[in-house]
Amino acid sequence: MNTQQKRYFLAEDDIPRQWYNIQADMVNKPLPPLNPATKEPLRPEDLFPIFAEELARQELNQTDAWIDIPDEVRDMYKYYRSTPLVRAYGLEKALGTPAHIYFKNESVSPVGSHKLNSALAQAYYNKKQGVTNITTETGAGQWGAALSYAAKVFGLECAVYQVKISYNQKPYRRSIMQTFGASVEASPSMSTRAGKDILTRDPANQGSLGTAISEAIELAVSTPNCKYTLGSVLSHVSLHQTVIGLEAEKQMAMAGEYPDVIIACFGGGSNFGGIAFPFMRHTILEGRATQYIAAEPASCPKLTRGQFQYDFGDEAGYTPLLPMYTLGHNFMPASIHAGGLRYHGAGTIVSQLLKDGLMKAVDIQQIESFDAGVLFARAEGIIPAPESCHAIAATIREANRCRETGEERVILFNLSGHGLIDMTAYDQYFAHSLQNYEVTDEQVAANLAKLEKVI
Amino acid sequence: MNTQQKRYFLAEDDIPRQWYNIQADMVNKPLPPLNPATKEPLRPEDLFPIFAEELARQELNQTDAWIDIPDEVRDMYKYYRSTPLVRAYGLEKALGTPAHIYFKNESVSPVGSHKLNSALAQAYYNKKQGVTNITTETGAGQWGAALSYAAKVFGLECAVYQVKISYNQKPYRRSIMQTFGASVEASPSMSTRAGKDILTRDPANQGSLGTAISEAIELAVSTPNCKYTLGSVLSHVSLHQTVIGLEAEKQMAMAGEYPDVIIACFGGGSNFGGIAFPFMRHTILEGRATQYIAAEPASCPKLTRGQFQYDFGDEAGYTPLLPMYTLGHNFMPASIHAGGLRYHGAGTIVSQLLKDGLMKAVDIQQIESFDAGVLFARAEGIIPAPESCHAIAATIREANRCRETGEERVILFNLSGHGLIDMTAYDQYFAHSLQNYEVTDEQVAANLAKLEKVI
């Protein structure tokens, strides 16, 4: 029996009033995104046709370390923030580890994941600018659900392209988006040129985030008063997510500890950046020794096997060129259940940090991820999202290492979302019908070789 | 924009250390449950074959107003309690009401509802007594999910009979129970005599809570070292749920208000009693004028159309005779999505309180309940369970009344669970394929007339 504190909350007054922009503090700044036609570095106004202006400015801001959170957004944060920082006593006991394991429980957001932190901000800035309609892509549907609700809050219409494999695997997420008033289409669809091109080549195509992004951008630029929004990858999305780490920093102080290791799953980087960047400023500015570990799926290993180069953010090549670790924007990931991690590239900030050795990445097989998720569910009572299972698996590896060495390391991971809408994945796990998928260095090289060298 | 506080939490030290047993304070105590063979009032030891001994003693305890929460249970409460008390600013704004609406958000429990409050207690007392296996029934699956996790926490095996209509409507809840390690069977099943009897008469029978209870009891009494547990109706279940109202009382004080009206949906009475009884002690002992409203489905209206009489708690007649408002234990409710409200009778405490005019009941049609649920989801971001939608509908009626009269009444309702596993119900709502069901006084009278007069 434990008599120590289990969960830590902040008073509403202590919810952060600013997001943290790590770009301002990085010694080596991310290389600039490029205009694909001119190969010139992008200016914010180049992004105005696609994004709300304030978001475009945030995207390229490399000078201001702190960005004010608008009152209207912060007031909506109060609907579910602070999220609890939780000491995982149940998991520690199940593992028999001397490690102290904490997790930031973003799954208690009303839409089930951390995605709402940026959705509210993006919807707000679009509304403020007079935009009436927003579009987006979604994989597993966590981002789509968050944006659907955020759009409703700020009175915007919302259209979502959901990756087809997830649309079929997780029908409840579509229902959730519709309950919040959004329209939802499976991607690739016949409603855009990008979708039609793919379906013509490959009628059974199950979609990818890269393709869904192309479709959403195409709809945005061809619809009056409509902008595109993105749930990860871009720097302004990670910026909004830093509310996670900023809260966690205060909450860890309440617990009287500081993390030795910080772990998050990795799709485009927003939940990883959200929890890691606020702590990383102490590493950059004060030399504090903390390990940062991104846990990606072995089936989509851009950080562990990808190349650092300029590439498109989407399948059709509508986006600017981004300097990133990538498997190639033509990469079609295996149909794993962690739909939010099925993306070919990493955000530009994380790519630079990885290149500079400030963080590391591990790859996790699908079955190991669900082994970890079930162990966690039974120990802590929370069924994690398939994406979050990757962070838990990486945490368990670290905790088991501590058991061997006897080290009392402090591990903090981000529980990015719950898995209640992903139960078919758990059914398949228990039926032993889940597969592992391997992507080799040779496959990545062959895939990248197919692309024109864009710069 | 509001700048006032949105959510209220208690420090872990302030989580209640005792449950409140309203039976001790009631002027007219509930009539005793009777042994069906002898018609003698039950003693605790008569219940020992079915229930853990401590639970049987709690069931019949009419003298101790306060029962200590065991440390082992309270430590597990810390995994998710206190649940937030939330000021529903979004809903107030959507309704344009001067009422102050608060809800206790039990949906943030890791299993998605208030049911865990009693599941942990019941699993604990069974474990303490050396029981190795527990059985139960579940409707929508909220109770089954809670008990499955609680059994895992305390190292018990768990078998759940889930009402067939819900088993088919909500397949993810079965998956959740299995993820926590429980075995789940659709009821009526062919694995018990009670189930076989029904299926032989009516092969297409979709089940009811009454039938599932019969099956679970039969399994318990025919299995060595196995006890039965129940998720509602009984007094010891309401007792454990008073942690909700006891927390809410402290949290309302933090908000500087006291409720004029307290509302909860009503199946067997545990979430209603849980939030209402702690406040009701001030009505009983100090004459405080507070309205208590139970919101039941029009398709299963035991409080608004049932008769107060002795009846069985289950379909097959395995339970003691309980003095309660009932539609008859042979009543087969319509297939509404609020599976947790599809029960023929009300707990003995609530039945007595209703008889004595200390509370009132309203009936809500299925479509009105989902109108309310969707409005709430879009205003507060939380998709409510179909059961909880009934409480929201009753709240909206009260809030609209306040808009007409201009009264600033303080309304508190219990959000007993989220609806993320119930999205097929929302799909049907949006497809306009949900039905209303009416049960008339004549139908109830005819149904009750079919029963032998048991006392």
Side-chain angles (χ1 to χ4, degrees):
Chain A
M1 190 200 331
N2 81 72
T3 47
Q4 292 170 276
Q5 191 158 347
K6 173 74 181 166
R7 301 193 307 162
Y8 299 86
F9 286 94
L10 300 178
E12 288 184 4
D13 257 0
D14 292 329
I15 296 172
R17 293 174 190 277
Q18 297 182 308
W19 295 301
Y20 172 62
N21 177 21
I22 195 172
Q23 293 194 78
D25 288 334
M26 287 168 72
V27 179
N28 298 326
K29 312 284 187 204
L31 298 175
L34 302 181
N35 181 319
T38 64
K39 306 290 192 299
E40 290 294 314
L42 283 191
R43 297 156 308 163
E45 37 288 27
D46 297 324
L47 292 169
F48 290 174
I50 302 181
F51 292 112
E53 296 180 8
E54 192 57 36
L55 296 170
R57 277 189 281 268
Q58 289 176 358
E59 182 63 25
L60 299 174
N61 185 333
Q62 298 195 330
T63 50
D64 303 314
W66 298 96
I67 309 281
D68 287 345
I69 302 174
D71 285 345
E72 292 83 350
V73 174
R74 195 171 172 281
D75 268 347
M76 290 309 300
Y77 279 175
K78 292 191 203 166
Y79 276 57
Y80 63 103
R81 309 204 67 85
S82 70
T83 61
L85 176 80
V86 187
R87 175 78 183 267
Y89 291 112
L91 181 62
E92 290 174 18
K93 190 176 154 205
L95 297 172
T97 180
H100 293 195
I101 305 175
Y102 292 84
F103 62 94
K104 184 70 168 158
N105 187 0
E106 291 292 306
S107 81
V108 300
S109 134
V111 297
S113 82
H114 72 293
K115 294 290 190 185
L116 194 51
N117 302 327
S118 187
L120 288 166
Q122 294 190 46
Y124 166 75
Y125 287 119
N126 274 284
K127 178 68 178 184
K128 195 180 164 203
Q129 187 182 320
V131 168
T132 58
N133 291 59
I134 52 179
T135 72
T136 200
E137 82 299 326
T138 196
Q142 299 267 29
W143 167 247
L147 192 73
S148 300
Y149 169 57
K152 180 57 69 181
V153 166
F154 289 108
L156 300 168
E157 298 299 323
C158 178
V160 181
Y161 287 93
Q162 184 172 18
V163 176
K164 196 169 279 175
I165 177 73
S166 293
Y167 186 92
N168 292 324
Q169 277 174 342
K170 307 172 204 286
Y172 283 17
R173 279 256 166 64
R174 173 188 51 69
S175 308
I176 291 170
M177 292 185 260
Q178 289 170 340
T179 298
F180 290 128
S183 74
V184 187
E185 191 148 13
S187 167
S189 78
M190 292 300 280
S191 67
T192 65
R193 196 182 60 77
K196 274 185 269 202
D197 284 353
I198 289 178
L199 288 175
T200 307
R201 285 200 309 272
D202 175 13
N205 190 292
Q206 290 298 295
S208 70
L209 282 167
T211 301
I213 291 171
S214 297
E215 294 206 272
I217 291 177
E218 193 179 321
L219 180 63
V221 297
S222 61
T223 305
N225 214 11
C226 180
K227 297 289 175 199
Y228 168 69
T229 67
L230 189 74
S232 189
V233 184
L234 292 178
S235 302
H236 69 274
V237 187
S238 298
L239 172 72
H240 305 149
Q241 295 295 352
T242 58
V243 69
I244 302 171
L246 292 166
E247 284 184 1
E249 195 185 342
K250 295 186 192 183
Q251 291 165 308
M252 289 297 306
M254 291 165 77
E257 305 219 68
Y258 192 93
D260 299 306
V261 192
I262 295 174
I263 297 171
C265 66
F266 197 91
S270 83
N271 106 80
F272 174 81
I275 194 157
F277 293 170
F279 289 95
M280 208 180 273
R281 82 182 192 275
H282 301 297
T283 301
I284 295 173
L285 301 177
E286 302 145 32
R288 187 139 201 173
T290 307
Q291 261 195 303
Y292 307 93
I293 302 176
E296 68 180 2
S299 57
C300 198
K302 59 258 185 185
L303 295 177
T304 53
R305 298 184 190 279
Q307 302 268 348
F308 184 85
Q309 63 179 55
Y310 271 97
D311 194 6
F312 288 106
D314 68 321
E315 194 274 339
Y318 292 158
T319 69
L321 291 168
L322 302 171
M324 59 184 185
Y325 280 92
T326 179
L327 301 166
H329 67 272
N330 58 337
F331 182 78
M332 189 53 63
S335 299
I336 59 168
H337 283 275
L341 309 186
R342 295 176 70 250
Y343 184 71
H344 65 278
T348 62
I349 297 173
V350 164
S351 293
Q352 188 64 45
L353 293 170
L354 182 67
K355 194 156 172 283
D356 291 343
L358 274 150
M359 54 174 284
K360 72 171 196 171
V362 295
D363 61 331
I364 307 280
Q365 282 287 6
Q366 180 160 247
I367 292 173
E368 180 183 351
S369 76
F370 280 96
D371 287 341
V374 170
L375 179 69
F376 179 79
R378 294 179 176 181
E380 293 289 332
I382 303 164
I383 296 179
E387 292 82 1
S388 312
C389 288
H390 291 73
I392 297 169
T395 298
I396 290 175
R397 287 187 189 175
E398 290 298 315
N400 285 342
R401 204 166 289 143
C402 290
R403 190 179 53 208
E404 284 159 31
T405 62
E407 281 177 286
E408 266 193 26
R409 298 190 87 191
V410 178
I411 305 171
L412 167 65
F413 76 88
N414 196 30
L415 185 73
S416 54
H418 66 64
L420 295 178
I421 308 303
D422 307 276
M423 294 312 301
T424 45
Y426 284 88
D427 283 350
Q428 290 178 21
Y429 171 78
F430 287 114
H432 301 289
S433 64
L434 282 186
Q435 287 179 51
N436 285 336
Y437 301 92
E438 191 78 34
V439 176
T440 64
D441 290 335
E442 291 69 30
Q443 286 169 321
V444 174
N447 197 55
L448 287 167
K450 277 188 236 159
L451 298 178
E452 286 179 72
K453 197 74 183 168
V454 291
I455 185 164
Chain B
M1 190 201 330
N2 81 71
T3 47
Q4 292 169 277
Q5 192 158 347
K6 174 73 180 165
R7 304 192 304 163
Y8 300 85
F9 287 94
L10 300 178
E12 288 183 6
D13 257 1
D14 291 329
I15 296 172
R17 295 175 189 277
Q18 297 182 309
W19 296 301
Y20 172 61
N21 177 21
I22 195 173
Q23 293 194 80
D25 288 334
M26 288 168 72
V27 178
N28 298 326
K29 311 286 187 203
L31 297 175
L34 302 181
N35 180 319
T38 65
K39 306 288 192 300
E40 290 293 317
L42 283 190
R43 297 157 306 161
E45 39 283 33
D46 297 323
L47 292 169
F48 291 175
I50 301 179
F51 292 113
E53 295 180 10
E54 192 57 34
L55 296 169
R57 277 189 282 268
Q58 289 176 358
E59 182 63 24
L60 299 174
N61 185 333
Q62 298 195 330
T63 50
D64 303 313
W66 298 96
I67 309 280
D68 288 345
I69 302 174
D71 284 345
E72 291 83 351
V73 174
R74 194 170 174 280
D75 268 345
M76 290 310 300
Y77 279 173
K78 291 192 204 167
Y79 276 59
Y80 63 103
R81 306 204 70 84
S82 70
T83 61
L85 176 80
V86 186
R87 175 79 183 267
Y89 290 112
L91 181 61
E92 289 174 20
K93 190 176 156 205
L95 296 172
T97 179
H100 293 195
I101 306 175
Y102 293 83
F103 61 94
K104 183 71 168 157
N105 187 0
E106 291 292 306
S107 80
V108 300
S109 132
V111 296
S113 83
H114 71 294
K115 294 290 189 185
L116 193 52
N117 302 327
S118 187
L120 288 167
Q122 293 190 46
Y124 166 75
Y125 287 119
N126 273 285
K127 177 68 178 185
K128 195 179 163 204
Q129 187 183 317
V131 168
T132 57
N133 291 58
I134 52 179
T135 72
T136 199
E137 82 299 327
T138 196
Q142 300 268 30
W143 167 247
L147 192 73
S148 300
Y149 169 56
K152 179 59 68 181
V153 166
F154 289 108
L156 300 168
E157 297 300 321
C158 177
V160 181
Y161 287 93
Q162 183 173 18
V163 176
K164 195 171 281 175
I165 177 74
S166 293
Y167 185 91
N168 292 325
Q169 278 175 341
K170 305 172 205 287
Y172 284 15
R173 280 256 166 63
R174 172 189 50 70
S175 307
I176 292 170
M177 292 185 260
Q178 290 170 339
T179 298
F180 290 130
S183 73
V184 187
E185 192 149 10
S187 167
S189 77
M190 293 298 281
S191 67
T192 65
R193 197 183 59 77
K196 273 185 271 202
D197 284 353
I198 289 178
L199 288 174
T200 307
R201 284 201 309 274
D202 176 13
N205 190 292
Q206 290 298 294
S208 70
L209 282 166
T211 300
I213 292 171
S214 297
E215 295 207 88
I217 293 177
E218 194 179 319
L219 180 63
V221 298
S222 62
T223 304
N225 213 11
C226 180
K227 297 288 175 200
Y228 168 69
T229 67
L230 189 73
S232 189
V233 184
L234 293 177
S235 302
H236 68 272
V237 186
S238 298
L239 172 72
H240 305 149
Q241 295 296 353
T242 58
V243 68
I244 302 171
L246 292 166
E247 284 184 0
E249 195 186 342
K250 295 186 191 184
Q251 291 166 308
M252 290 296 306
M254 291 165 76
E257 304 219 69
Y258 191 92
D260 298 306
V261 193
I262 295 174
I263 296 172
C265 66
F266 197 93
S270 83
N271 106 81
F272 175 82
I275 194 157
F277 293 169
F279 290 95
M280 208 180 272
R281 80 181 194 275
H282 301 297
T283 301
I284 295 173
L285 301 177
E286 302 144 31
R288 186 137 202 174
T290 307
Q291 262 195 300
Y292 307 92
I293 303 176
E296 66 179 5
S299 56
C300 198
K302 60 255 182 184
L303 296 177
T304 53
R305 297 186 190 278
Q307 303 268 350
F308 184 86
Q309 62 179 57
Y310 272 97
D311 194 7
F312 288 106
D314 69 322
E315 195 274 338
Y318 293 157
T319 70
L321 291 167
L322 302 170
M324 59 184 184
Y325 280 93
T326 179
L327 302 165
H329 67 274
N330 58 340
F331 181 79
M332 189 52 65
S335 299
I336 59 168
H337 284 277
L341 309 186
R342 296 176 72 249
Y343 184 71
H344 66 276
T348 63
I349 297 174
V350 164
S351 292
Q352 189 63 45
L353 294 170
L354 182 66
K355 194 155 173 282
D356 290 344
L358 273 149
M359 54 175 283
K360 72 170 196 170
V362 296
D363 61 332
I364 307 280
Q365 282 286 7
Q366 179 159 249
I367 292 172
E368 181 184 350
S369 76
F370 280 96
D371 287 340
V374 170
L375 180 69
F376 179 80
R378 293 178 178 182
E380 293 288 334
I382 303 165
I383 297 180
E387 292 82 1
S388 312
C389 287
H390 290 74
I392 297 168
T395 298
I396 290 174
R397 287 187 189 175
E398 290 298 316
N400 285 344
R401 204 166 290 142
C402 289
R403 190 180 52 206
E404 285 159 29
T405 62
E407 282 177 287
E408 266 194 24
R409 298 191 87 191
V410 178
I411 305 172
L412 167 64
F413 76 89
N414 197 30
L415 184 73
S416 53
H418 66 63
L420 295 179
I421 309 302
D422 308 275
M423 294 312 300
T424 46
Y426 283 88
D427 283 349
Q428 290 179 20
Y429 171 80
F430 287 113
H432 302 288
S433 63
L434 282 187
Q435 287 179 51
N436 284 337
Y437 300 91
E438 191 79 33
V439 176
T440 64
D441 290 336
E442 292 69 31
Q443 286 169 322
V444 174
N447 197 55
L448 287 167
K450 277 188 235 158
L451 297 177
E452 286 178 73
K453 196 73 185 170
V454 291
I455 187 165

mmCIF file of all heavy atoms in Angstrom, chain B residues 112-129:
data_model
loop_
_atom_site.group_PDB
_atom_site.id
_atom_site.type_symbol
_atom_site.label_atom_id
_atom_site.label_comp_id
_atom_site.label_asym_id
_atom_site.label_seq_id
_atom_site.Cartn_x
_atom_site.Cartn_y
_atom_site.Cartn_z
ATOM 1 N N GLY B 112 -14.270 4.940 -17.075
ATOM 2 C CA GLY B 112 -15.259 5.739 -17.779
ATOM 3 C C GLY B 112 -16.538 6.039 -17.040
ATOM 4 O O GLY B 112 -17.420 6.692 -17.606
ATOM 5 N N SER B 113 -16.676 5.587 -15.808
ATOM 6 C CA SER B 113 -17.902 5.883 -15.064
ATOM 7 C C SER B 113 -17.663 5.817 -13.568
ATOM 8 O O SER B 113 -16.615 5.369 -13.100
ATOM 9 C CB SER B 113 -19.022 4.904 -15.435
ATOM 10 O OG SER B 113 -18.871 3.701 -14.686
ATOM 11 N N HIS B 114 -18.721 6.199 -12.837
ATOM 12 C CA HIS B 114 -18.699 6.144 -11.376
ATOM 13 C C HIS B 114 -18.614 4.726 -10.830
ATOM 14 O O HIS B 114 -18.339 4.527 -9.643
ATOM 15 C CB HIS B 114 -19.974 6.793 -10.829
ATOM 16 C CG HIS B 114 -21.213 5.967 -11.066
ATOM 17 N ND1 HIS B 114 -21.718 5.719 -12.332
ATOM 18 C CD2 HIS B 114 -22.020 5.287 -10.206
ATOM 19 C CE1 HIS B 114 -22.794 4.947 -12.236
ATOM 20 N NE2 HIS B 114 -22.996 4.677 -10.970
ATOM 21 N N LYS B 115 -18.855 3.722 -11.655
ATOM 22 C CA LYS B 115 -18.999 2.354 -11.151
ATOM 23 C C LYS B 115 -17.772 1.854 -10.384
ATOM 24 O O LYS B 115 -17.883 0.995 -9.514
ATOM 25 C CB LYS B 115 -19.294 1.405 -12.314
ATOM 26 C CG LYS B 115 -20.648 1.639 -12.994
ATOM 27 C CD LYS B 115 -21.816 1.241 -12.114
ATOM 28 C CE LYS B 115 -23.144 1.270 -12.874
ATOM 29 N NZ LYS B 115 -24.289 0.985 -11.977
ATOM 30 N N LEU B 116 -16.616 2.408 -10.719
ATOM 31 C CA LEU B 116 -15.393 1.935 -10.069
ATOM 32 C C LEU B 116 -15.411 2.159 -8.557
ATOM 33 O O LEU B 116 -14.775 1.411 -7.802
ATOM 34 C CB LEU B 116 -14.190 2.634 -10.719
ATOM 35 C CG LEU B 116 -12.802 2.072 -10.425
ATOM 36 C CD1 LEU B 116 -12.702 0.583 -10.692
ATOM 37 C CD2 LEU B 116 -11.752 2.814 -11.249
ATOM 38 N N ASN B 117 -16.152 3.190 -8.113
ATOM 39 C CA ASN B 117 -16.184 3.490 -6.673
ATOM 40 C C ASN B 117 -16.646 2.301 -5.845
ATOM 41 O O ASN B 117 -16.134 2.052 -4.760
ATOM 42 C CB ASN B 117 -17.124 4.673 -6.389
ATOM 43 C CG ASN B 117 -16.732 5.924 -7.146
ATOM 44 O OD1 ASN B 117 -15.551 6.153 -7.380
ATOM 45 N ND2 ASN B 117 -17.716 6.726 -7.550
ATOM 46 N N SER B 118 -17.634 1.582 -6.351
ATOM 47 C CA SER B 118 -18.102 0.412 -5.620
ATOM 48 C C SER B 118 -17.353 -0.858 -6.035
ATOM 49 O O SER B 118 -17.149 -1.754 -5.213
ATOM 50 C CB SER B 118 -19.612 0.219 -5.817
ATOM 51 O OG SER B 118 -20.093 -0.827 -4.988
ATOM 52 N N ALA B 119 -16.928 -0.922 -7.276
ATOM 53 C CA ALA B 119 -16.209 -2.120 -7.741
ATOM 54 C C ALA B 119 -14.956 -2.358 -6.908
ATOM 55 O O ALA B 119 -14.663 -3.492 -6.509
ATOM 56 C CB ALA B 119 -15.850 -1.978 -9.224
ATOM 57 N N LEU B 120 -14.210 -1.294 -6.648
ATOM 58 C CA LEU B 120 -12.987 -1.440 -5.849
ATOM 59 C C LEU B 120 -13.325 -1.931 -4.450
ATOM 60 O O LEU B 120 -12.651 -2.809 -3.906
ATOM 61 C CB LEU B 120 -12.237 -0.096 -5.786
ATOM 62 C CG LEU B 120 -11.550 0.320 -7.088
ATOM 63 C CD1 LEU B 120 -11.125 1.783 -7.029
ATOM 64 C CD2 LEU B 120 -10.343 -0.564 -7.398
ATOM 65 N N ALA B 121 -14.388 -1.369 -3.860
ATOM 66 C CA ALA B 121 -14.776 -1.782 -2.511
ATOM 67 C C ALA B 121 -15.215 -3.249 -2.502
ATOM 68 O O ALA B 121 -14.803 -4.028 -1.646
ATOM 69 C CB ALA B 121 -15.901 -0.880 -1.995
ATOM 70 N N GLN B 122 -16.023 -3.618 -3.457
ATOM 71 C CA GLN B 122 -16.536 -4.993 -3.466
ATOM 72 C C GLN B 122 -15.411 -6.003 -3.729
ATOM 73 O O GLN B 122 -15.349 -7.064 -3.109
ATOM 74 C CB GLN B 122 -17.657 -5.126 -4.500
ATOM 75 C CG GLN B 122 -18.899 -4.308 -4.119
ATOM 76 C CD GLN B 122 -20.100 -4.621 -5.001
ATOM 77 O OE1 GLN B 122 -20.407 -5.779 -5.251
ATOM 78 N NE2 GLN B 122 -20.776 -3.582 -5.465
ATOM 79 N N ALA B 123 -14.529 -5.682 -4.657
ATOM 80 C CA ALA B 123 -13.407 -6.592 -4.924
ATOM 81 C C ALA B 123 -12.534 -6.714 -3.680
ATOM 82 O O ALA B 123 -12.111 -7.808 -3.293
ATOM 83 C CB ALA B 123 -12.595 -6.093 -6.120
ATOM 84 N N TYR B 124 -12.310 -5.585 -3.031
ATOM 85 C CA TYR B 124 -11.456 -5.603 -1.832
ATOM 86 C C TYR B 124 -12.038 -6.506 -0.736
ATOM 87 O O TYR B 124 -11.346 -7.359 -0.176
ATOM 88 C CB TYR B 124 -11.270 -4.185 -1.291
ATOM 89 C CG TYR B 124 -10.694 -4.173 0.097
ATOM 90 C CD1 TYR B 124 -9.338 -4.445 0.302
ATOM 91 C CD2 TYR B 124 -11.505 -3.950 1.211
ATOM 92 C CE1 TYR B 124 -8.812 -4.489 1.584
ATOM 93 C CE2 TYR B 124 -10.973 -3.984 2.494
ATOM 94 C CZ TYR B 124 -9.639 -4.259 2.667
ATOM 95 O OH TYR B 124 -9.116 -4.305 3.940
ATOM 96 N N TYR B 125 -13.324 -6.320 -0.409
ATOM 97 C CA TYR B 125 -13.911 -7.110 0.683
ATOM 98 C C TYR B 125 -13.943 -8.589 0.331
ATOM 99 O O TYR B 125 -13.787 -9.460 1.194
ATOM 100 C CB TYR B 125 -15.320 -6.609 1.020
ATOM 101 C CG TYR B 125 -15.342 -5.286 1.751
ATOM 102 C CD1 TYR B 125 -15.973 -4.172 1.195
ATOM 103 C CD2 TYR B 125 -14.752 -5.144 3.005
ATOM 104 C CE1 TYR B 125 -16.010 -2.950 1.858
ATOM 105 C CE2 TYR B 125 -14.773 -3.927 3.679
ATOM 106 C CZ TYR B 125 -15.408 -2.836 3.102
ATOM 107 O OH TYR B 125 -15.439 -1.634 3.774
ATOM 108 N N ASN B 126 -14.160 -8.895 -0.939
ATOM 109 C CA ASN B 126 -14.129 -10.303 -1.339
ATOM 110 C C ASN B 126 -12.730 -10.884 -1.184
ATOM 111 O O ASN B 126 -12.556 -11.977 -0.651
ATOM 112 C CB ASN B 126 -14.623 -10.453 -2.785
ATOM 113 C CG ASN B 126 -16.134 -10.597 -2.852
ATOM 114 O OD1 ASN B 126 -16.682 -11.648 -2.526
ATOM 115 N ND2 ASN B 126 -16.816 -9.525 -3.234
ATOM 116 N N LYS B 127 -11.733 -10.141 -1.647
ATOM 117 C CA LYS B 127 -10.355 -10.606 -1.541
ATOM 118 C C LYS B 127 -9.977 -10.825 -0.089
ATOM 119 O O LYS B 127 -9.369 -11.841 0.281
ATOM 120 C CB LYS B 127 -9.428 -9.568 -2.181
ATOM 121 C CG LYS B 127 -7.964 -9.901 -2.077
ATOM 122 C CD LYS B 127 -7.622 -11.122 -2.916
ATOM 123 C CE LYS B 127 -6.115 -11.417 -2.852
ATOM 124 N NZ LYS B 127 -5.784 -12.524 -3.770
ATOM 125 N N LYS B 128 -10.364 -9.871 0.752
ATOM 126 C CA LYS B 128 -9.991 -9.924 2.170
ATOM 127 C C LYS B 128 -10.531 -11.187 2.825
ATOM 128 O O LYS B 128 -9.934 -11.745 3.743
ATOM 129 C CB LYS B 128 -10.559 -8.678 2.858
ATOM 130 C CG LYS B 128 -9.982 -8.397 4.221
ATOM 131 C CD LYS B 128 -10.588 -7.138 4.798
ATOM 132 C CE LYS B 128 -10.349 -7.066 6.291
ATOM 133 N NZ LYS B 128 -11.355 -6.213 6.940
ATOM 134 N N GLN B 129 -11.682 -11.619 2.343
ATOM 135 C CA GLN B 129 -12.335 -12.780 2.929
ATOM 136 C C GLN B 129 -11.788 -14.082 2.328
ATOM 137 O O GLN B 129 -12.219 -15.177 2.710
ATOM 138 C CB GLN B 129 -13.844 -12.642 2.660
ATOM 139 C CG GLN B 129 -14.712 -13.667 3.326
ATOM 140 C CD GLN B 129 -16.177 -13.472 2.920
ATOM 141 O OE1 GLN B 129 -16.663 -12.352 2.879
ATOM 142 N NE2 GLN B 129 -16.859 -14.563 2.619
#
